[in-house]
């Protein structure tokens, strides 16, 4: 088996479907469950049958049923296969650890710098208090003490506020609420791990529609299989949310991947036949009662609570203020080499310089990099990335809402093409309501008019009524063609050959 030349992810999809199916499956069955192109499935199912010693049963229709009654124990052995599995496991483990380390690093940068700055501020506050208590009668020293205490008043206030909030939070968590009549069973579940929550604030929680292409394809294939292998462009637009022009390009790709064929009727109506998808063993209807279009989910900024995200913003703001402070004074005051410079400089900067002098030969460079540039750059990115993401997220959600609205509007028109009131289009769910809803609805009506020209008239109450006579005619033609299709011609028939024993 030339494993290096096949699509491993597609192959895994095929194998996973086969593992979960006890009965025999045709290529059309596997295609419906994986949404992979027919040619890809035809290639990969043969490889899977060879690797796992599958059973092949040829039916009277010429279709092959694939099953694996002996289980899924690969026949491939040896050092190469074992090393490949080990390498795959290591690769997956490295990726998992890497993601965890990245999330942990972001958390440590945010919280670590906050703790570091608070520690320096606390040391400076304590030093200021000691100096005030042990001060002398020197007017200059007295003036300096007053400046130090005044300059650190804001820091002491922030520290006091944070300690109070933290203390209250921790005490509240530890209270046994049952003594006050609260039901312990109603206790809220534990929150998210901090590193996940911080990562969620910056980068979000992933794309809720990451599997969208597969979901959409499965919905279209299920509808085609439930409707005798025939689909029209309006039905395709309802299922995919594509505009008429986009739908024509998209359904052409479906024809290539799933062996479809466009066909024009005598009156010029174009339909698309996918007869290869009807050659299946599983005849269950998965179209969910007709034209049930899958709906895209809206992106959310973060799964954190607003309160938690607010605190992340506040903590990062504190880091940005302190980092900017140290960056500014490191580049304006420079090194401190005498007591006179200590008294003449910013008190907090002087304390930090003295502390760093005990750890670094060049404390100025260390303050510039560690307390200045690094936290400022991180804090700016910590705000900038979510801001950009929030802007793009709103644009993406508007596009999603428009596609979802197109689906429900087109479905309503398809069901009643002769009488369309825009006032009746009023979905409650947010997923269907883009901004400027009325204008977007009118835009979609005009868009559909590029495929089927509507007739417009005014009702007695002054509202506009649209009718689509061409869609009504197309709908009747399609139903007539479907009713003429005999399902028996796509039955597999009896098994005429069995690889695990001839029939």
């Amino acid at each position: 088996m030339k494993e290096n030349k096949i699509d491993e992810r597609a192959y895994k999809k095929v194998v996973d479907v086969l593992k979960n199916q006890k009965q025999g499956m045709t290529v059309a069955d596997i295609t419906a469950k994986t949404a992979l192109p027919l040619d890809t499935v035809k290639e990969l199912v043969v490889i899977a049958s060879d690797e796992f010693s599958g059973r092949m049963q040829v039916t009277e229709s010429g279709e092959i049923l694939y099953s694996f009654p002996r289980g899924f124990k690969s026949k491939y052995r040896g050092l190469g296969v074992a090393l490949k599995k080990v390498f795959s496991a290591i690769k997956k483990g490295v990726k998992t650890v890497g993601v965890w380390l990245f999330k942990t690093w972001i958390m440590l940068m945010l919280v670590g710098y906050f703790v570091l700055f608070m520690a320096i501020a606390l040391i400076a506050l304590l030093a200021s208090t000691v100096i005030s208590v042990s001060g002398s009668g020197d007017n200059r020293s007295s003036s300096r003490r007053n400046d130090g205490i005044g300059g650190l008043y804001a820091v002491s206030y922030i520290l006091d506020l944070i300690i109070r909030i933290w203390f209250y939070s921790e005490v509240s968590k530890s209270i046994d609420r049952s003594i006050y009549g609260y039901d312990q069973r109603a206790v809220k579940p534990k929150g998210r791990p901090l590193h996940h929550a911080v990562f969620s604030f910056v980068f979000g929680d992933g794309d809720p529609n990451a599997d969208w292409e597969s979901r959409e394809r499965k919905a279209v294939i299920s509808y085609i299989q439930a409707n005798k292998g025939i689909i029209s462009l309006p039905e395709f637009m309802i299922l995919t949310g594509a505009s008429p022009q986009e739908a024509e390009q998209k359904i052409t790709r479906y024809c290539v991947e799933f062996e479809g064929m466009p066909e024009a009727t005598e009156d010029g109506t174009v339909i698309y036949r996918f007869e290869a998808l009807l050659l299946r063993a599983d005849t269950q209807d998965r179209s969910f009662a007709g034209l049930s279009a899958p709906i895209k989910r809206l992106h959310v900024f973060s799964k954190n609570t607003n309160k938690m995200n607010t605190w992340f913003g506040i903590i990062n703001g504190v880091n940005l203020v302190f980092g900017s402070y140290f960056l500014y004074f490191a580049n304006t005051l420079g090194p401190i080499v005498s007591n006179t410079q200590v008294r003449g400089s910013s008190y907090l900067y002087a304390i930090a310089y003295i502390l760093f002098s005990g750890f670094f030969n060049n404390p100025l460079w260390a303050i510039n990099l560690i307390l200045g540039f690094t936290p400022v750059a991180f804090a700016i990115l910590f705000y900038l990335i979510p801001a950009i993401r929030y802007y793009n997220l709103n644009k993406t959600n508007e596009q999603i809402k428009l596609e979802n609205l197109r689906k429900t509007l087109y479905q309503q028109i398809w069901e009643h093409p002769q009488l369309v009131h825009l006032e009746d289009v009023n979905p409650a769910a947010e997923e269907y309501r883009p901004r400027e809803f009325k204008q977007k609805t009118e835009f979609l009506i005009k868009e559909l008019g590029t495929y089927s020209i509507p007739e417009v008239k005014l009702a007695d109450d002054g509202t506009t009524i649209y009718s689509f006579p061409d869609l009504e005619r197309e709908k009747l033609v399609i139903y007539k063609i479907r009713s003429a299709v005999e399902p028996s011609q796509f039955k597999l028939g009896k098994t005429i050959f069995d690889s695990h024993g001839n029939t």
Side-chain angles (χ1 to χ4, degrees), residues 111-323:
V111 179
Y113 264 108
F114 180 77
V115 172
L116 176 61
F117 287 137
M118 291 299 101
I120 294 174
L122 183 60
I123 293 172
L125 183 62
L126 292 174
S128 176
T129 302
V130 170
I131 293 173
S132 298
V133 171
S134 61
S136 65
D138 188 328
N139 290 336
R140 183 177 180 182
S141 298
S142 177
S143 176
R144 177 68 190 91
R145 287 197 304 273
N146 291 336
D147 290 343
I149 294 173
L152 288 173
Y153 176 76
V155 174
S156 65
Y157 179 80
I158 293 173
L159 283 170
D160 180 67
L161 180 62
I162 291 171
I163 291 172
R164 287 174 181 271
I165 293 174
W166 180 269
F167 178 78
Y168 175 77
S169 176
E170 292 303 310
V171 170
S172 298
K173 291 177 183 177
S174 63
I175 291 177
D176 183 359
R177 298 178 182 272
S178 62
I179 64 176
Y180 298 104
Y182 289 97
D183 188 351
Q184 283 294 97
R185 292 173 297 179
V187 174
K188 292 182 178 180
K190 292 183 178 180
R192 310 175 71 186
L194 185 58
H195 63 290
H196 285 308
V198 174
F199 185 87
S200 174
F201 175 83
V202 181
F203 296 103
D205 296 280
D207 184 358
N209 302 304
D211 62 341
W212 176 252
E213 184 177 359
S214 176
R215 285 172 54 204
E216 181 182 85
R217 283 169 170 246
K218 288 178 182 179
V220 173
I221 292 171
S222 295
Y223 184 80
I224 291 171
Q225 290 179 331
N227 288 274
K228 300 182 178 181
I230 297 172
I231 190 171
S232 66
L233 196 63
E235 292 169 322
F236 186 80
M237 287 188 283
I238 294 170
L239 290 169
T240 62
S243 66
Q245 293 74 26
E246 293 170 339
E248 288 180 355
Q249 298 175 1
K250 202 167 187 177
I251 202 168
T252 300
R253 293 198 299 271
Y254 270 71
C255 288
V256 173
E257 295 183 1
F258 303 109
E259 298 184 9
M261 183 66 66
E263 177 183 305
T265 63
E266 293 181 356
D267 64 348
T269 300
V270 178
I271 63 172
Y272 297 84
R273 290 185 184 269
F274 293 84
E275 295 183 348
L277 294 177
L278 298 180
L279 299 171
R280 56 191 180 129
D282 182 5
T283 57
Q284 181 180 352
D285 183 357
R286 293 188 177 84
S287 64
F288 303 103
L291 272 172
S292 179
I295 300 302
K296 277 189 175 181
R297 307 180 187 96
L298 296 180
H299 292 246
V300 295
F301 176 76
S302 170
K303 292 182 181 179
N304 300 333
T305 62
N306 291 334
K307 182 179 179 181
M308 179 176 288
N309 284 337
T310 300
W311 272 109
F312 289 153
I314 293 173
I315 291 172
N316 189 61
V318 172
N319 292 346
L320 180 60
V321 170
F322 273 91

Side-chain angles (χ1 to χ4, degrees), residues 439-473:
Q439 291 87 335
K440 293 293 174 62
T441 305
E442 292 175 352
F443 164 77
L444 293 177
I445 285 284
K446 294 177 182 178
E447 181 184 71
L448 183 59
T450 63
Y451 175 79
S452 177
I453 300 175
E455 295 179 357
V456 184
K457 62 180 180 180
L458 291 177
D460 295 337
D461 59 359
T463 59
T464 305
I465 300 177
Y466 296 89
S467 63
F468 293 81
D470 289 341
L471 283 184
E472 178 73 19
R473 176 187 53 77

Side-chain angles (χ1 to χ4, degrees), residues 73-90:
K73 187 175 182 180
S74 177
K75 73 177 185 180
Y76 295 104
R77 301 288 187 273
L79 181 61
V81 175
L83 287 176
K84 182 178 179 181
K85 291 182 179 179
V86 171
F87 177 75
S88 178
I90 292 174

